[in-house]
Amino acid sequence: DTAVSQTPKYLVTQMGNDKSIKCEQNLGHDTMYWYKQDSKKFLKIMFSYNNKELIINETVPNRFSPKSPDKAHLNLHINSLELGDSAVYFCASSQGVAGAGYEQYFGPGTRLTVT
Amino acid sequence: AQSVAQPEDQVNVAEGNPLTVKCTYSVSGNPYLFWYVQYPNRGLQFLLKYITGDNLVKGSYGFEAEFNKSQTSFHLKKPSALVSDSALYFCAVRDPFSGGYNKLIFGAGTRLAVHP
């Protein structure tokens, strides 16, 4: 029973294309996140939503657009893909949003390769 | 700037020996600290956290971590390493300036290799 799932697991595409990654969590959490892990395994937050509201929006090119249709889903759409977008993208979720330091639960990742 | 440092890219230890993976932090105020583990081609898994209370925190898979405020450290430890503990370990701290939200700042990761 997967807690945080992402599709697709692998995504190979050409420069200039537009692609989407989907994330779903069945933990009943209120908050979801997108992270980017680069080739050196460095992990950085991109966005976070709480109950469909954008609450964290890091310095990310506006080619990246998150969308949360409901609190269990958070999708990431990327326009005009560039070589530098190649990375592993992780979705995560946590209970609540603030203060108590809730741990985050991560999906399996989507490995995006731009050629 | 708020930051987390993991000074070792890799830690090698023999199976059965104790292991330590180091983490130091630099944040304003009282830190919320976390350890996560990443196995190959997998997402991160939560191991343990320190929010408040006892400085020694126990977590999953026999891991524990000690919060040391004077040394601004939160080292991960295990008394007896297993080959299956071999993975990439991340220390993280909650950004206190994230408007109260759970924005985590991650260290660069430490690769733990446990040899039979």
Side-chain angles (χ1 to χ4, degrees), chain A residues 9 33 35 37 41 43 55-56 58 90 97-104 106-107 111, chain B residues 32 34 36 38 41-44 46 49 51 88 90 94 100-104 106 111:
Chain A
K9 189 169 174 62
Y33 311 80
Y35 286 87
Q37 186 175 45
K41 304 298 185 183
L43 198 66
I55 57 172
I56 295 174
E58 291 295 284
F90 288 102
V97 60
Y102 296 110
E103 60 269 25
Q104 296 177 20
F106 284 75
R111 183 175 296 276
Chain B
Y32 291 179
F34 302 80
Y36 287 83
Q38 185 179 22
N41 300 313
R42 304 281 294 275
L44 279 70
F46 169 74
K49 65 182 178 183
I51 304 299
L88 187 58
F90 290 96
R94 176 177 163 259
Y101 299 125
N102 263 338
K103 176 185 169 186
L104 294 182
F106 282 86
R111 191 164 299 280

Side-chain angles (χ1 to χ4, degrees), chain B residues 25 33 48-58 64-70 73-75 77:
Chain B
Y25 64 89
L33 294 155
L48 49 81
K49 65 182 178 183
Y50 173 82
I51 304 299
T52 186
D54 285 343
N55 290 342
L56 185 63
V57 179
K58 293 190 184 297
E64 58 189 27
E66 186 166 12
F67 171 66
N68 188 316
K69 189 170 184 177
S70 63
S73 67
F74 189 55
H75 301 333
K77 300 181 180 186

Side-chain angles (χ1 to χ4, degrees), chain A residues 20-38:
Chain A
S20 291
I21 307 172
K22 296 187 175 182
C23 178
E24 176 181 2
Q25 55 94 3
N26 63 6
L27 297 167
H29 289 167
D30 294 327
T31 308
M32 297 183 72
Y33 311 80
W34 278 114
Y35 286 87
K36 179 180 180 181
Q37 186 175 45
D38 64 22

